Amino acid sequence: MAARPVTGGAGRVIAGSARGRALLAPGEGTRPLGDRVKQTLFAILEPQIRGGAFLDLFAGSGAAGIEALSRGADRAVFVDRDADAVRTIEANLMATRLRDRATVVRADALKWLKGEGRRTGPFAAVVVDPPYDRIELLTTALELIAGSVPGSAEAPETILGPDGIVVAKHFWKTAVPAEIGLLRSVRERRFGETALTFLRWASAGGESAGDSEHEVDR
């Protein structure tokens, strides 16, 4: 039996063309991107994503990708293996009138990253948001993204653009490595039990892992 979507369960679109629109969540068992987390996340990401491509992995309600589209991302790809999540993303995209710039993929995110994902990028920003109790999914996803280095002869097709940024959403007690391949952690923000870790290519310059920011929002 399909889970009943929860109206407003994924909060609202914070800014942009779909501002104020309430978003459905796939069901009560999901952990949507809350409004406070979303606001902070996109205050950081908005300059990065405007006119670029956005990837929402383990997309759930699609709140991250929809916020990106609302704020001016050129296109967004949503990947989730759950049928209820895919239906919810489609409904949210129709409600926000952003469907024409979106691609919704029902697939295992890790398998997708190994194949089609490399042919769909590069992305200006990627949000990785697996279930908190599946840390292996988060780690493997980050390793796969790190394995597609821009300009690499071994992996000419890349997921993350040369100036791109990856955001890992995770339980605050889960440690994300400071370095994963050529990706470096540059910032961490905490909101109660939720944490966001931001990673960039080492070659992008600017902040390094040693200069990373660790902030707690009360």
Side-chain angles (χ1 to χ4, degrees), residues 79-157:
V79 182
D80 202 293
R81 68 182 301 173
D82 183 76
D84 291 329
V86 168
R87 282 191 290 269
T88 301
I89 294 166
E90 292 280 7
N92 284 333
L93 286 167
M94 294 301 292
T96 53
R97 300 181 180 179
L98 296 169
R99 186 64 186 85
D100 60 332
R101 290 188 282 132
T103 300
V104 182
V105 181
R106 184 184 178 191
D108 178 280
L110 301 183
K111 291 180 180 178
W112 185 87
L113 285 172
K114 293 176 184 177
E116 186 182 347
R118 294 178 182 270
R119 300 184 290 274
T120 307
F123 294 94
V126 180
V127 169
V128 186
D129 184 13
Y132 284 3
D133 61 350
R134 298 292 307 277
I135 181 58
E136 77 281 2
L137 295 180
L138 177 63
T139 302
T140 304
L142 293 174
E143 289 172 349
L144 289 170
I145 294 168
S148 63
V149 182
S152 168
E154 293 79 14
E157 297 169 317

Side-chain angles (χ1 to χ4, degrees), residues 39-59:
Q39 187 168 8
T40 299
L41 171 62
F42 282 94
I44 295 168
L45 286 187
E46 187 165 359
Q48 182 85 25
I49 62 175
R50 198 175 294 121
F54 187 92
L55 175 58
D56 193 348
L57 281 176
F58 307 97

Side-chain angles (χ1 to χ4, degrees), residues 25 38-39 42 53 66 88 102 145-146 182 186 207 212:
K38 195 185 309 178
Q39 187 168 8
F42 282 94
I66 287 170
T88 301
I145 294 168
L182 294 180
V186 297
E207 297 167 308
S212 62

